[in-house]
Amino acid sequence: MEEKLIVCVAAHPVLFDESLFSYVDANKKNDAWRRVADVVGAPAEVCKEKFNFLLDSYEREKNREKELSRSGGLTNHKSWKYAALMGFLAPFLEVEQTARQRARIPCQ
């Protein structure tokens, strides 16, 4: 389910690209989540919650990689299994932020 969810969210930039005018349109976001839910085969609320969990995990992985690269320990680091799939989010995240500082995707 995770891979399908990540690929589906990546196809709907309105869910993550704050530079889009439509990013603030709740109706467009809800429509996008409904389309994601249809493809994934799970309720939209479950998809949102699961994606928020994946997003937190991705941010922790990027922060861990940054710390390891500073200390020179990145050579032995095994990447998180969804890191490459979630890579489409890299331009949209500030890696230093914690999950609590970042605005959450609302589970309306």
Side-chain angles (χ1 to χ4, degrees):
M1 172 189 175
E2 286 83 2
E3 291 95 353
K4 190 182 277 190
L5 176 62
I6 294 166
V7 170
C8 288
V9 170
H12 295 87
V14 69
L15 298 175
F16 58 86
D17 187 350
E18 295 177 3
S19 70
L20 295 176
F21 182 72
S22 57
Y23 179 79
V24 296
D25 188 335
N27 290 326
K28 289 188 180 191
K29 283 186 175 182
N30 288 333
D31 289 341
W33 278 117
R34 277 192 289 276
R35 288 191 300 271
V36 168
D38 288 343
V39 172
V40 173
E45 297 307 313
V46 171
C47 291
K48 290 177 192 179
E49 289 172 12
K50 185 66 176 173
F51 191 74
N52 275 329
F53 175 79
L54 290 167
L55 187 57
D56 286 344
S57 299
Y58 178 67
E59 286 182 319
R60 280 192 302 274
E61 173 67 12
K62 298 317 278 178
N63 284 329
R64 190 175 309 123
E65 286 177 359
K66 192 171 187 176
E67 283 301 312
L68 287 171
S69 69
R70 285 184 200 162
S71 66
L74 192 57
T75 56
N76 297 330
H77 175 69
K78 183 179 180 205
S79 291
W80 177 57
K81 64 182 176 178
Y82 300 119
L85 268 177
M86 297 284 288
F88 73 94
L89 290 171
F92 305 102
L93 298 177
E94 292 183 30
V95 176
E96 294 290 331
Q97 288 184 332
T98 65
R100 293 177 199 262
Q101 292 171 321
R102 179 177 45 77
R104 308 299 306 144
I105 296 173
C107 297
Q108 301 170 354

